[in-house]
Amino acid sequence: MLEYSVLFRQRERRRGKTLLPPQVYSLGILINQPPRSGDMPPTGTLTYRNDFLTQETRFTFPIVELESWRSRWDELDALAPTNPFAVVIMAQLQATGHPDKATRLAPLLDLTRRLYGYGYTRDRIGALLRLVESMVRLPTALESDYLLAARQLEQEHEMSYVTIAERHGMAKGRTEGRTEGEANLLLRLIQRRFGPMDEATTQRIRSADSAHLETWSLNFVDAATLDDVFRD
């Protein structure tokens, strides 16, 4: 914490071109720790101290135990319409409160429903929901159930954002793009060594998945004939 504070002040001083370093407030947030554990001081602070010869370095900063907010859920809910960080805390509490991902569907839907009711703009809801979804991550088997309920909420509020399904579609598109590139490269290599190919062979390569393309590309390195490329 001390190093972060010093480095941040140095960076900001260089940016501001001022001799006086900016004021930095350091705060420690304990994410997954029971409140008021035995090693935490009652004052809610931690201190770094280093004594060397006649000099002393002492750095004290406050700490917040996130679990202490679990009993203050209603307070977070009241803060959330004007403070997006309250939503982040709620998501973290739901994630740590449900370590078994199979039990997270209802908590995630509850957060999603609340977020639509907080009065945020479409862009703010989209950004927060993407963050919430990444924090309260669901197992693949439950994603379709969540998407169905999320779509219903979108229709009720006439809003939309980049959902899990759409992100998966983007990922699929990127994967398909990589596969197409691998196929085109293999086709060029084969044509250069073995000459033009018939349509059936070309189609076989273009329709192959990434695993087959990888195998054939490795086979190509020492293949003496075209048949050697396609050996298992």
Side-chain angles (χ1 to χ4, degrees), residues 144-215:
S144 59
D145 295 332
Y146 169 72
L147 288 171
L148 179 60
R151 287 295 190 189
Q152 292 175 348
L153 287 172
E154 289 179 359
Q155 293 172 2
E156 292 174 8
H157 294 269
E158 298 181 349
M159 290 185 181
S160 62
Y161 68 102
V162 182
T163 62
I164 290 176
E166 290 167 330
R167 289 201 299 278
H168 282 189
M170 293 176 188
K172 181 180 179 182
R174 289 192 293 269
T175 300
E176 291 175 348
R178 287 195 297 269
T179 301
E180 182 180 357
E182 293 170 357
N184 288 336
L185 177 59
L186 182 58
L187 284 169
R188 289 196 297 270
L189 291 173
I190 290 177
Q191 288 174 352
R192 185 163 186 170
R193 179 178 296 182
F194 300 113
M197 292 173 290
D198 56 48
E199 183 62 28
T201 302
T202 301
Q203 185 59 33
R204 181 182 182 185
I205 293 174
R206 290 198 180 280
S207 60
D209 57 27
S210 184
H212 280 94
L213 290 172
E214 181 180 2
T215 299

Side-chain angles (χ1 to χ4, degrees), residues 1-194:
M1 292 293 288
L2 174 60
E3 290 175 353
Y4 277 130
S5 178
V6 171
L7 290 173
F8 186 80
R9 281 185 291 174
Q10 288 178 339
R11 188 190 69 177
E12 293 304 302
R13 183 171 59 184
R14 288 193 297 268
R15 287 179 174 178
K17 297 180 180 180
T18 176
L19 296 178
L20 296 176
Q23 294 298 318
V24 177
Y25 187 81
S26 299
L27 173 68
I29 301 177
L30 306 181
I31 293 178
N32 192 15
Q33 183 167 336
R36 201 56 56 211
S37 59
D39 58 344
M40 285 294 103
T43 56
T45 61
L46 289 176
T47 298
Y48 166 79
R49 181 172 178 172
N50 181 37
D51 296 314
F52 179 68
L53 298 178
T54 59
Q55 68 184 27
E56 176 187 359
T57 300
R58 183 184 179 89
F59 178 64
T60 300
F61 58 93
I63 55 97
V64 174
E65 295 158 335
L66 211 59
E67 282 296 315
S68 67
W69 281 85
R70 190 175 298 280
S71 61
R72 303 168 65 182
W73 184 268
D74 291 343
E75 187 176 346
L76 287 171
D77 191 40
L79 290 170
T82 57
N83 189 340
F85 191 66
V87 179
V88 177
I89 295 176
M90 294 166 78
Q92 181 61 37
L93 290 175
Q94 292 288 41
T96 57
H98 298 84
D100 181 359
K101 293 182 180 180
T103 65
R104 290 182 174 180
L105 178 58
L108 179 56
L109 284 174
D110 178 67
L111 276 177
T112 303
R113 189 175 295 106
R114 289 173 186 270
L115 191 49
Y116 271 110
Y118 287 149
Y120 288 122
T121 63
R122 175 188 179 278
D123 291 342
R124 177 61 61 85
I125 289 176
L128 283 172
L129 276 177
R130 285 191 290 272
L131 178 59
V132 167
E133 287 177 356
S134 67
M135 295 173 69
V136 192
R137 191 174 296 277
L138 294 175
T140 303
L142 292 180
E143 288 183 352
S144 59
D145 295 332
Y146 169 72
L147 288 171
L148 179 60
R151 287 295 190 189
Q152 292 175 348
L153 287 172
E154 289 179 359
Q155 293 172 2
E156 292 174 8
H157 294 269
E158 298 181 349
M159 290 185 181
S160 62
Y161 68 102
V162 182
T163 62
I164 290 176
E166 290 167 330
R167 289 201 299 278
H168 282 189
M170 293 176 188
K172 181 180 179 182
R174 289 192 293 269
T175 300
E176 291 175 348
R178 287 195 297 269
T179 301
E180 182 180 357
E182 293 170 357
N184 288 336
L185 177 59
L186 182 58
L187 284 169
R188 289 196 297 270
L189 291 173
I190 290 177
Q191 288 174 352
R192 185 163 186 170
R193 179 178 296 182
F194 300 113

